[in-house]
Amino acid sequence: MDFQNVIDRNQTNSMKWDFYPDVYGAGDLWPMWVADMDFQAPKPVLDAMHEVINHGVFGYHRRPKSLFDATTSWLEHRFNWSISDEQIVFTPGVVPAISHIIQTFTKKEDGIIIQPPVYFPFYALVQNNERTLLRNPLQETKNGFTMDFEDLEEKMKEAEMMILCSPHNPIGRVWTQEELTRLAELAEKHEVLVVSDEIHADIILDGKHTPLSKAAEGKNVETMTCLAPSKTFNLASLQLSYVVFENNESKKAYEKHLQQEFVGINNPLATVAAESAYRHGEEWLEQMLEYVRANVEHVKQYVESEMPEIKVVKPEGTYLIWIDMRGLNMENKELEQWLRRDAKLALSDGPNFGKEGGGFVRMNAACPRETIEEGLRRLKEAYDRLNT
Ligand SMILES: Cc1ncc(COP(=O)(O)O)c(C=O)c1O
């Protein structure tokens, strides 16, 4: 696969390329915001989808056993994590899956912990369901971002549930086995259910992903893990994800809730895409990771040598780069306007992820180098104008 190849996504109803003017209020920006890739999905995935299209019959569909098998084999192979088909419930996206978990296992006003700055729909998940948001901000240390375990323990005293982001979007941390074990110990002590959003689990640039559920083995703590091939293989619009349960009673309760809400994921294109990605997509994934690692390295080196007041937090996981612009000494609004009006860039504004994100932006590096270069060129020109 040639990841250098620029594929024109304009006028394809792409959220990132066609709909940014609705969000940013300008039509001449360079889009590096939404967390999808500008790459084509792996060839075996496209072939499998073509076969379904050529067949041409799109009647009611059910997920076959082979999809469950491909999924469990992938988890075993990539994470040395053995689960059975019976632990899996397919869902039409991780965000709706978490919402339904909240509805099934908590009640109004229950406390739910999140770790800001964090993927912004987590706030809406808690608030739209009228639960109480408990914030356990990440700590910034000289060695990067870590969890504040003392504060986490305090918050756990008031919480029923925690939503963990692992790897963490937007910080890019791949939590270590030790960190996850410590978290699991606290959750055990305070009887907190931990929902682990591991949608970025396959996108590891440096380090090793440990499923929370594995780190929690042997502890009396309940975990529910949300996963998907969507970020991994750029299939997000197909809306296929799944939850792995450790407790069969909980799984049944969740399935019952989904039935009551008439939630299903029965799309034949999603089924074959996911199955062939898990069976035949690994080589593509490894090449994509190599390409993104080089992009990330390039952004870090270029930004820090050419724009010394800007710092790049190198991600261990995800293809998203958290960039520290606090050195420019701008208020949040001023920074946003400078990025839109002067740099002509559509980046994700840090405060969207919580107030701790003030002064930061998130840049998407899952694109051809040429796309990255154009973004950096715009940033550098605007930066140079600041100092003249
Ligand atoms: C941490 C995290 N969770 C969930 C999602 C979206 O999941 P879905 O599209 O399956 O609802 C994203 C997308 O960026 C994400 O970063």
Side-chain angles (χ1 to χ4, degrees):
M1 167 83 188
D2 184 5
F3 293 98
Q4 307 261 57
N5 191 19
V6 176
I7 301 170
D8 186 0
R9 295 184 67 191
N10 286 301
Q11 294 173 21
T12 63
N13 303 321
S14 149
M15 172 115 87
K16 189 196 276 172
W17 287 84
D18 289 324
F19 287 92
Y20 73 78
D22 294 354
V23 176
Y24 291 84
D28 53 353
L29 308 188
W30 195 244
M32 305 184 85
W33 59 304
V34 174
D36 67 14
M37 308 193 208
D38 291 336
F39 305 137
Q40 253 188 1
K43 174 90 173 32
V45 172
L46 303 181
D47 290 345
M49 291 174 79
H50 277 135
E51 222 175 280
V52 173
I53 302 256
N54 290 340
H55 184 244
V57 181
F58 302 105
Y60 289 111
H61 167 86
R62 278 186 70 169
R63 290 170 301 279
K65 167 108 173 65
S66 56
L67 175 61
F68 285 84
D69 291 346
T71 304
T72 54
S73 303
W74 179 262
L75 298 178
E76 169 83 52
H77 174 66
R78 297 292 296 187
F79 309 118
N80 196 18
W81 184 25
S82 305
I83 62 158
S84 68
D85 292 5
E86 286 67 43
Q87 289 176 257
I88 297 179
V89 177
F90 283 96
T91 52
V94 164
V95 173
I98 299 175
S99 191
H100 291 123
I101 289 176
I102 291 173
Q103 290 159 12
T104 312
F105 300 103
T106 65
K107 52 187 194 316
K108 285 208 173 126
E109 291 176 18
D110 278 355
I112 302 184
I113 302 171
I114 62 168
Q115 296 183 304
V118 73
Y119 179 58
F120 45 86
F122 285 9
Y123 294 88
L125 281 169
V126 177
Q127 286 160 343
N128 293 358
N129 282 305
E130 297 173 55
R131 274 43 171 185
T132 306
L133 188 74
L134 298 172
R135 309 167 92 262
N136 168 232
L138 298 180
Q139 257 177 341
E140 199 178 353
T141 73
K142 61 179 185 333
N143 299 322
F145 287 91
T146 58
M147 291 191 203
D148 179 345
F149 285 103
E150 274 169 35
D151 179 67
L152 180 58
E153 175 146 30
E154 284 310 305
K155 299 290 154 61
M156 280 199 176
K157 291 177 187 163
E158 305 161 43
E160 298 300 322
M161 181 184 283
M162 168 171 184
I163 310 174
L164 175 70
C165 194
S166 175
H168 190 95
N169 170 13
I171 300 297
R173 274 298 315 278
V174 172
W175 304 116
T176 61
Q177 167 114 24
E178 292 68 38
E179 286 169 312
L180 294 170
T181 305
R182 196 162 164 200
L183 188 156
E185 279 163 8
L186 290 179
E188 178 180 36
K189 183 168 161 199
H190 298 287
E191 298 180 11
V192 173
L193 165 63
V194 189
V195 181
S196 189
D197 177 344
E198 302 188 14
I199 195 168
H200 295 278
D202 296 310
I203 306 174
I204 303 302
L205 307 177
D206 185 15
K208 181 171 173 288
H209 175 76
T210 308
L212 174 69
S213 158
K214 273 196 76 163
E217 253 161 31
K219 296 188 181 28
N220 189 17
V221 55
E222 185 162 5
T223 61
M224 295 173 190
T225 312
C226 301
L227 287 149
S230 57
K231 295 283 158 199
T232 317
F233 299 105
N234 208 21
L235 307 173
S237 61
L238 297 178
Q239 296 185 294
L240 183 144
S241 60
Y242 51 98
V243 183
V244 178
F245 287 87
E246 300 302 325
N247 175 319
N248 196 38
E249 290 308 306
S250 298
K251 184 205 167 197
K252 282 196 213 144
Y254 187 66
E255 282 179 322
K256 187 166 167 218
H257 179 79
L258 294 188
Q259 272 162 14
Q260 278 167 352
E261 297 289 319
F262 304 101
V263 177
I265 154 79
N266 295 305
N267 173 335
L269 290 170
T271 293
V272 295
E275 185 174 336
S276 55
Y278 278 159
R279 289 195 194 281
H280 311 293
E282 187 169 38
E283 194 185 329
W284 180 98
L285 171 62
E286 292 302 340
Q287 288 173 9
M288 184 279 287
L289 291 174
E290 270 316 298
Y291 194 83
V292 168
R293 275 185 200 108
N295 275 352
V296 167
E297 190 55 45
H298 177 67
V299 170
K300 184 162 175 69
Q301 281 183 7
Y302 182 83
V303 168
E304 295 191 349
S305 66
E306 298 293 320
M307 297 171 254
E309 281 145 357
I310 304 180
K311 301 272 173 266
V312 172
V313 179
K314 205 168 164 195
E316 297 166 332
T318 83
Y319 47 68
L320 307 163
I321 313 179
W322 193 232
I323 303 181
D324 181 357
M325 298 201 171
R326 288 173 298 183
L328 298 176
N329 287 320
M330 292 187 199
E331 294 296 323
N332 288 334
K333 263 276 148 296
E334 197 186 347
L335 179 61
E336 282 173 23
Q337 288 187 353
W338 177 70
L339 289 165
R340 288 162 178 61
R341 291 186 192 162
D342 216 359
K344 304 262 179 224
L345 283 171
L347 300 168
S348 305
D349 299 313
N352 289 350
F353 302 89
K355 62 178 189 299
E356 296 76 4
F360 287 82
V361 293
R362 194 192 71 179
M363 177 188 277
N364 185 334
C367 53
R369 180 61 68 86
E370 225 179 288
T371 307
I372 297 265
E373 295 288 12
E374 176 60 18
L376 291 177
R377 186 185 68 73
R378 290 175 182 228
L379 188 62
K380 165 84 167 120
E381 284 182 10
Y383 180 89
D384 287 346
R385 283 194 292 272
L386 279 180
N387 297 318
T388 52

